[in-house]
Amino acid sequence: MGCEIEELSRSEKTKQSIAYGCDELGRLKSVLIHTPGEELSLINESNYEYWLYDKVPDIPGYIKEHKSYQELLESNGVRVYELGDYVDENKDLIRKLPNLTFLHDIAVISDKGAILSKMRPPARQNEEIVVKEALNNLGIPILSEFNEGDGFFEGCLLLSKETIFVADTERHTYPFIQEFISNILKEFDEVIYTRVPKARRYMHPDTVFNRVREDLALAYLPAFEETCLFTEDSREKIDFKTFIQEEKGMGIISISDSEQSRLGCSFVPLESGTIFHYDTALDRETIKKLEKESVEIIPFHPDAMRAGGGSLRCHTLRLCRRKN
């Protein structure tokens, strides 16, 4: 099945079956986006930290920039699905969730189905409910989710059809990571687990590591406190850099502390070797290293969107990639 589908009427949009899966770093074909709206008005000077924002957002500016990003995606051949078009039962919840625009944190889409997060309460509680409904209506099955227990698990990275990367961040609890690894190893061959500092700047796995192309990645290596490789039958400590370079054949360009704090690792690959990225994220030295590797950066300048503390990647739930 191709990633493109015919335009449908609004009544027909609520139940579809689209192509999905982002295990391989092929061309980005489709994404799920949530254009923020009236829910941003919940944030004010007295509660913006509760809502996990860096400051009170400029709502018109935020919406305008977000729509500009959608246009940038579409101009590069990416099909954009709007979350609200695929949510009916839980539509009222959307107006109560000002972080819902950060869709990447809530789900990862593999060829086998969606891996849902359990969002950190209370500010992000129930976001996965809304996203699950949208994915169901798009015909994407749920591969992994958390239903019971006190704890949270905000995201992982797909490195291939065989390998998943999990970072133990401030948005994860270790019992939930253990549960996830035990269950996901029924579907994948291995899980790379790394413990990182429990701080906001390392809130998700892609704040410390992300693939630029199949054989090259950006990483902030000082954050890797301990790394283990899990398979169905074993667990062993590994050196992350050595393992990625020697076992996975992937070179690493290390970013600085300052770049990491500006979400230098958190970008959206359009395809292997071409990325969408904030033009404020990387130092000139790192850009030169990427240019030497023939990497193309499609820049996007954020002003209002930076209020939420997220990257372009955070705003982008990638649904489908294909190598041809």
Side-chain angles (χ1 to χ4, degrees):
M1 179 188 295
C3 292
E4 301 297 330
I5 63 172
E6 294 181 359
E7 284 292 334
L8 301 175
S9 68
R10 183 174 178 83
S11 62
E12 292 174 305
K13 281 184 178 181
T14 55
K15 203 68 178 178
Q16 298 184 15
S17 181
I18 68 168
Y20 57 87
C22 298
D23 305 61
E24 297 181 295
L25 194 56
R27 180 86 180 191
L28 184 61
K29 297 292 187 177
S30 62
V31 300
L32 186 66
I33 291 289
H34 172 54
T35 306
E38 63 184 276
E39 67 270 18
L40 291 182
S41 65
L42 294 172
I43 305 169
N44 56 48
E45 289 291 346
S46 66
N47 68 14
Y48 70 87
E49 290 181 333
Y50 167 83
W51 287 115
L52 307 174
Y53 274 63
D54 291 337
K55 62 181 180 179
V56 179
D58 165 15
I59 297 176
Y62 203 125
I63 294 171
K64 181 179 179 181
E65 284 184 21
H66 198 278
K67 289 184 176 178
S68 293
Y69 173 51
Q70 294 178 40
E71 291 170 1
L72 180 62
L73 288 168
E74 291 173 332
S75 69
N76 282 276
V78 180
R79 172 69 185 267
V80 174
Y81 295 92
E82 176 65 49
L83 177 78
D85 291 340
Y86 302 93
V87 176
D88 289 315
E89 183 178 344
N90 295 293
K91 194 169 285 289
D92 288 344
L93 268 179
I94 294 176
R95 293 190 287 270
K96 302 174 183 178
L97 300 171
N99 282 282
L100 190 58
T101 186
F102 304 119
L103 287 177
H104 165 68
D105 306 341
I106 308 166
V108 174
I109 311 300
S110 78
D111 290 350
K112 304 174 181 71
I115 299 170
L116 285 181
S117 297
K118 176 110 184 285
M119 304 307 291
R120 179 180 181 175
R124 305 198 65 172
Q125 194 171 12
N126 295 324
E127 291 178 8
E128 62 270 25
I129 295 173
V130 178
V131 173
K132 181 178 179 178
E133 181 186 351
L135 295 177
N136 283 335
N137 286 332
L138 285 165
I140 300 175
I142 306 303
L143 174 65
S144 172
E145 62 181 321
F146 298 90
N147 296 312
E148 303 293 339
D150 295 325
F152 34 90
F153 181 99
E154 287 196 18
C156 61
L157 301 181
L158 294 170
L159 300 191
S160 70
K161 292 180 178 293
E162 296 80 32
T163 307
I164 285 184
F165 173 76
V166 175
D168 188 352
T169 79
E170 69 163 14
R171 301 290 182 87
H172 295 72
T173 46
Y174 191 67
F176 272 43
I177 290 176
Q178 289 177 305
E179 176 186 339
F180 173 77
I181 291 175
S182 177
N183 290 334
I184 210 67
L185 283 175
K186 298 179 177 70
E187 304 291 342
F188 290 80
D189 294 341
E190 59 187 12
V191 175
I192 301 171
Y193 160 88
T194 192
R195 188 180 71 241
V196 302
K198 302 289 186 178
R200 176 174 170 80
R201 62 185 288 180
Y202 311 110
M203 70 180 80
H204 295 120
D206 57 15
T207 62
V208 297
F209 179 78
N210 198 359
R211 293 177 299 166
V212 174
R213 64 179 189 227
E214 291 181 314
D215 63 347
L216 185 68
L218 293 184
Y220 181 64
L221 295 173
F224 289 73
E225 297 180 336
E226 180 183 58
T227 303
C228 295
L229 179 67
F230 287 83
T231 65
E232 192 170 5
D233 302 317
S234 67
R235 168 187 172 174
E236 62 174 310
K237 286 188 178 181
I238 59 173
D239 178 79
F240 179 79
K241 182 179 180 180
T242 300
F243 182 83
I244 289 295
Q245 290 180 331
E246 296 183 1
E247 299 298 325
K248 298 302 178 184
M250 193 181 306
I252 291 177
I253 295 177
S254 296
I255 66 169
S256 68
D257 179 80
S258 174
E259 289 173 298
Q260 191 282 324
S261 70
R262 287 177 272 134
L263 301 173
C265 287
S266 194
F267 50 82
V268 178
L270 173 63
E271 60 186 344
S272 186
T274 302
I275 63 175
F276 298 104
H277 210 342
Y278 281 164
D279 61 5
T280 57
L282 298 175
D283 294 338
R284 184 59 197 163
E285 182 180 349
T286 302
I287 292 172
K288 286 182 178 179
K289 290 178 181 178
L290 290 169
E291 289 175 345
K292 189 175 181 180
E293 291 284 345
S294 300
V295 173
E296 179 186 359
I297 300 175
I298 302 173
F300 184 88
H301 183 72
D303 284 315
M305 282 173 64
R306 287 199 287 183
S311 66
L312 288 180
R313 187 177 180 88
C314 297
H315 287 89
T316 315
L317 177 46
R318 295 164 306 287
L319 299 177
C320 180
R321 291 188 179 279
R322 290 294 182 263
K323 287 194 170 182
N324 48 46

